[in-house]
């Protein structure tokens, strides 16, 4: 059945957007939509160059159906949050800091920004609570850490880093993970800290749809979420001056999710992967599909074993392995090429390189 | 640092054992040790043939340091449990049943066998409780399901199958997963159901070692567990007459583990993977290393993109990606070749094929 879907994907139109001049922010607001074809299967922004930049960074605030008719102030608020988070990373990398530090600090900023589904502003579970997931990986050592289903950690990405650095484990989940963060001295917040009115409305709408729909049949495996679902996961990938790649991802998961549901964000190889020899990747989308196809690792493997470029590998996985509209990825390869690619209608994202390229985008 | 380890690994001696005649059980008891070189970096048993058998199955009860001087009755009990579980799978496959059913039923049998670290007989957490993980994948559809940190489900593999078949999720963890199993009508058991005296002694010994050692420094990332650690995870891979591969894994995790620690067994791509086009894999070992290197998926990717055979891919990942003595894998490729390979001193395992090959082994 899955293979039938794929037929319609092979006709995709690839859009490559050239980099703007230094400091210029292309496509602000409404002008952002340099759309050529709304029906293309995969949209990509590729930043390539001949020589490796001293550093590079790319971040995302989720992919999905992002209405273009939103109020300008909403669009601008998202753009400003992306830009502010990016600047934190740029500042670290430009001063010779590590990609790990840049990734952690950028994601902390995005976790604090209430418009993204991570940290404060995370979506609600079916039970009306918040369960957060995050992971982080060091492409130099393959060290990695993750937390899943945490409820009282303000910055899950920092807890993931502590799992990486202070334990021999990779993944801690649930109360044990909250307790670990507490032991490590991270200040706990009440679960309501993460709540916002906007997300509460989303929960109510989702539960109404569920009541309308679920009379008929139980949720099926691989069922796509409602069309207006946005995958607000945040993530960041960075390359530092020592050539070290790092990648991280943080999320509140799916609105109205069942207690205990874990998506791809805390799964190394699915939502996050970094290997200095290939690339760093952070994904956002239908987490179950990203797990099933080991998306982040598979892109790395296609570079390592399949002779693909980062952009080719990302395109292949998003278009030929995943179902339509399943989400997007950001990545940087070992030579500093940046990619952001998605099969949804848009993805909140931004990137910068030491050679002056800098961009904040929502659509093409 | 990791790469320094690898130098000593490249001198490994590969032991290929030919299949015995139908019904013959090679190497019972002490005679089991057809050892040629105890210092080899990787041991493998490969069963190859020209044409695809009607069905094939392989299972494991964990890899690790398995003392050869154990009482004969202990060794025989392990062998009998492996054989009984295998026969359940053989019976299903031989009657035309699916590989998914065979894998689930074999793992249920191993979960019931108290000598393996899965279901009853699972190891104790640091807190003196049991937290169980399991996953299952269908190589035909890429459908998959998993549970992590469950405490009251007698057969976690069946809960994993229900996640796969009855939800749109892949991974449910903690109380939410226990609750889901309950809703699905799986009879709950008290957590003490899983307890055995043998595992309680292991916990006490581990905690004593921890007290002796941990004065000095906190546990480091990638630290290897004590030498006498056994990875008692169980798993099964099967190929049915329709050419469909399935793989599953179930475990109690690490003795004395921190609450909430999740290893590779419930992580699709790490401990379990199945793809009809390549292979099915179940792993056992230091879960963190299997996650970090996406072991099960990486073997599949090396077949798909790297032009390797199943055996070559398994050897490459175990010897060149993982640290020494990290564990083992079992697998079956699309044409019915069976492999079991490990870098520990032994692995409990058994396999059978429709062409009459049948074997139960612990060491070479």
């Amino acid at each position: 059945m899955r293979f039938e879907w794929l037929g319609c994907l092979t006709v995709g139109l690839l859009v490559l957007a050239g980099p703007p001049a230094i400091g210029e922010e292309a496509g602000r607001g409404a002008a952002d939509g340099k759309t050529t074809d709304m029906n293309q299967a995969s949209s990509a922004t590729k930043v390539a160059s001949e020589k490796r930049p001293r550093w590079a960074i790319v971040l995302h605030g989720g992919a999905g159906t992002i209405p273009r008719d939103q109020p300008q102030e909403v669009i601008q608020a998202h753009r400003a949050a992306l830009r502010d988070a990016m600047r934190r990373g740029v500042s670290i990398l430009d001063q010779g800091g590590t990609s790990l530090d840049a990734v952690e600090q950028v994601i902390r900023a995005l976790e604090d920004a209430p418009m993204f589904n991570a940290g404060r502003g995370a979506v609600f579970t079916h039970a009306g609570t918040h369960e957060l997931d995050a992971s982080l990986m060091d492409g130099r050592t393959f060290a990695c850490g993750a937390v899943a289903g945490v409820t009282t950690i303000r910055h899950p990405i920092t807890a993931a880093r502590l799992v990486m650095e202070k334990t021999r484990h990779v993944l801690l989940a649930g109360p044990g993970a909250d307790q670990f963060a507490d032991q490590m001295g991270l200040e706990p917040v009440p679960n309501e800290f993460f709540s916002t009115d906007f997300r509460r409305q989303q929960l109510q709408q989702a539960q109404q749809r569920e009541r309308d729909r679920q009379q008929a049949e139980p949720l099926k495996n691989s069922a796509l979420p409602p069309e207006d679902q946005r995958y607000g996961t945040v993530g960041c990938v960075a390359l530092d001056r020592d050539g070290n790649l790092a990648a991280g991802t943080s999320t509140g998961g799916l609105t109205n999710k069942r207690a205990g549901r874990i998506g791809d964000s805390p799964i190394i190889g699915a939502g996050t992967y970094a290997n200095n020899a290939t690339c760093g990747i952070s994904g956002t989308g239908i987490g179950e599909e990203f797990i099933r196809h080991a998306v982040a690792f598979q892109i790395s493997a296609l570079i390592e074993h399949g002779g693909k470029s980062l952009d080719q590998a990302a395109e292949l996985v998003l278009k030929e392995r995943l179902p339509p509209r399943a989400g997007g990825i950001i990545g940087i390869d070992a030579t500093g090429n940046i990619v952001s690619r998605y099969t949804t209608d848009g993805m909140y994202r931004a990137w910068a390189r030491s050679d002056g390229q800098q961009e904040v985008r929502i659509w093409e």
Side-chain angles (χ1 to χ4, degrees), chain A:
Chain A
M1 192 189 74
R2 222 189 118 255
F3 294 101
E4 290 171 26
W5 293 351
L6 298 180
C8 65
L9 274 176
T10 53
V11 207
L13 170 63
L14 176 61
V15 181
L16 295 179
I22 299 175
E24 181 193 338
E25 282 209 346
R28 277 181 171 274
D32 207 344
K34 299 183 204 159
T35 314
T36 51
D37 177 0
M38 283 297 292
N39 296 317
Q40 75 275 11
S42 164
S43 302
T45 312
K46 191 173 73 167
V47 180
S49 83
E50 293 69 38
K51 71 187 255 286
R52 185 170 91 76
R54 202 157 49 85
W55 54 258
I57 189 163
V58 59
L59 52 144
H60 72 81
T65 303
I66 303 172
R68 284 165 199 258
D69 56 359
Q70 293 175 94
Q72 271 302 311
E73 58 268 29
V74 173
I75 292 172
Q76 289 308 326
H78 282 82
R79 294 177 57 84
L82 289 167
R83 193 169 47 239
D84 291 349
M86 178 171 69
R87 283 180 181 159
R88 268 210 225 185
V90 165
S91 165
I92 290 166
L93 293 169
D94 204 45
Q95 290 168 43
T98 67
S99 51
L100 268 180
D101 284 343
V103 166
E104 183 189 0
Q105 292 303 321
V106 165
I107 292 178
R108 285 175 65 102
L110 294 169
E111 286 172 340
D112 281 340
M115 65 280 282
F116 299 118
N117 175 19
R120 200 158 80 82
V123 299
F124 285 85
T125 65
H126 183 78
T129 60
H130 306 280
E131 293 185 355
L132 312 177
D133 306 330
S135 66
L136 184 71
M137 184 159 185
D138 178 346
R140 182 176 67 88
T141 59
F142 296 101
C144 45
V147 291
V150 298
T151 59
T152 58
I153 301 172
R154 177 170 173 181
H155 293 116
I157 194 68
T158 294
R161 183 162 182 177
L162 288 167
V163 171
M164 176 175 102
E165 293 181 345
K166 303 294 184 191
T167 79
R168 63 181 168 116
H169 299 316
V170 164
L171 176 55
L172 294 182
D178 280 319
Q179 193 188 351
F180 164 75
D182 205 42
Q183 288 167 357
M184 289 288 122
L186 297 189
E187 190 194 350
V189 292
N191 194 245
E192 309 82 59
F193 168 84
F194 302 110
S195 300
T196 52
D197 288 343
F198 170 62
R199 298 298 185 188
R200 203 183 304 274
Q201 286 164 20
Q202 282 190 331
L203 173 66
Q204 286 158 359
Q205 289 161 7
Q207 293 188 333
Q208 184 57 50
R209 276 195 307 268
E210 192 177 55
R211 280 189 294 272
D212 294 350
R213 195 181 50 201
Q214 216 171 18
Q215 321 293 65
E217 55 166 354
L219 292 171
K220 286 287 194 198
N221 196 37
S222 289
L224 296 174
E227 285 210 1
D228 61 349
Q229 177 89 48
R230 301 179 207 184
Y231 315 120
T233 299
V234 308
C236 180
V237 180
L239 173 72
D240 64 27
R241 65 172 180 184
D242 295 323
N244 293 321
L245 285 163
T249 309
S250 181
T251 192
L254 292 177
T255 295
N256 197 30
K257 69 184 176 184
R258 176 188 281 280
R261 178 265 184 182
I262 296 179
D264 62 315
S265 300
I267 307 297
I268 296 297
T272 301
Y273 206 73
N275 176 351
N276 273 4
T278 56
C279 62
I281 299 287
S282 169
T284 173
I286 305 174
E288 281 71 13
E289 297 295 341
F290 278 64
I291 294 175
R292 197 187 313 290
H293 296 287
V295 165
F297 182 85
Q298 184 163 184
I299 292 171
S300 170
L302 280 164
I303 296 173
E304 186 170 6
H305 308 302
K308 304 286 184 207
S309 70
L310 168 59
D311 188 55
Q312 290 168 335
E315 184 187 20
L316 193 156
V317 172
L318 282 174
K319 288 172 63 180
E320 296 182 22
R321 301 296 157 99
L322 296 181
R325 305 173 61 79
I329 65 97
I330 56 169
I332 303 179
D333 71 14
T335 57
N337 293 304
I338 295 175
V339 132
S340 65
R341 186 177 273 280
Y342 50 96
T343 53
T344 52
D345 284 340
M347 176 159 70
Y348 297 107
R349 62 208 193 278
W351 65 91
R353 305 201 329 171
S354 57
D355 56 14
Q357 293 172 24
Q358 192 165 312
E359 188 91 23
V360 178
R361 290 212 192 154
I362 301 178
W363 299 283
E364 307 308 324

